[in-house]
Amino acid sequence: MSEENRTRDEALKANIHVHSQLANTGEYNKSPHFRPENQDKVRKIILRLLGDRKKGAQTKAIDFGCGTGFIIHMIRDLFTEVHGVDITADMMKQVDLSSGNVFLHESLAEKTKFADGTFDFATAYSFMDHLFNYRDFLKEAHRVLKPGGIFY
């Protein structure tokens, strides 16, 4: 195993460990972005990005680094399907799946199993700073977005 792969694997393990602890102690959901005023601000940005796109049309969204569902909670009423991707199962256990259109995938964001051009909308909110190589992730986000898709 190369030193870069070993370092990458160590970073992934550390990321999972830290985020599992934050999720299991409830500290993660006390982050500033969960404040109502911040949620309102992000929701307005998303609505502005979507513009005139038909709400409720057959559309799919993906939330990379979905964590406990911060973005998923805000967009599940705007899309037919919302897919969350994260490497930390303990975070995803807290995602509200009650709407019936939310699907979770324990996976690296840089390497998903989705087909090219699957999604109309993709998010990576407060996430990219956790990546070992953001370029690989951006290529993946571009790959799974439909032409003209939106990345936030």
Side-chain angles (χ1 to χ4, degrees), residues 30 59 109:
K30 295 177 185 175
T59 56

Side-chain angles (χ1 to χ4, degrees), residues 9-54:
D9 289 346
E10 290 169 354
L12 288 171
K13 286 178 187 174
N15 195 317
I16 292 168
H17 175 77
V18 167
H19 285 91
S20 291
Q21 292 299 314
L22 289 169
N24 292 331
T25 61
E27 289 301 310
Y28 182 78
N29 289 338
K30 295 177 185 175
S31 301
H33 58 266
F34 283 98
R35 291 183 186 145
E37 63 272 18
N38 292 333
Q39 291 183 32
D40 184 54
K41 179 180 178 182
V42 171
R43 171 78 177 194
K44 286 178 181 173
I45 291 168
I46 291 168
L47 290 172
R48 201 167 46 245
L49 287 171
L50 291 174
D52 294 335
R53 292 177 187 237
K54 195 170 190 175

Side-chain angles (χ1 to χ4, degrees), residues 112-127:
T112 68
K113 295 182 180 181
F114 298 107
D116 294 357
T118 299
F119 297 98
D120 303 281
F121 189 78
T123 63
Y125 187 84
S126 189
F127 161 71

Side-chain angles (χ1 to χ4, degrees), residues 8 11-12 15-16 19 28 33 62-68 70-71 84-88 91-92 105 107-112 122-141 151-152:
R8 180 180 172 273
L12 288 171
N15 195 317
I16 292 168
H19 285 91
Y28 182 78
H33 58 266
I62 184 168
D63 181 24
F64 291 102
C66 68
T68 61
F70 173 73
I71 291 289
V85 174
D86 207 295
I87 61 169
T88 307
M91 296 278 272
M92 291 191 298
H105 310 272
S107 169
L108 291 172
E110 302 95 315
K111 194 174 186 179
T112 68
T123 63
Y125 187 84
S126 189
F127 161 71
M128 288 177 52
D129 58 315
H130 298 280
L131 295 169
F132 189 76
N133 180 336
Y134 71 89
R135 287 183 180 100
D136 290 342
F137 164 69
L138 290 173
K139 288 176 188 174
E140 180 68 1
F151 177 71
Y152 171 59

Side-chain angles (χ1 to χ4, degrees), residues 1-13:
M1 179 183 285
S2 73
E3 185 173 335
E4 181 178 329
N5 285 339
R6 187 175 64 247
T7 304
R8 180 180 172 273
D9 289 346
E10 290 169 354
L12 288 171
K13 286 178 187 174

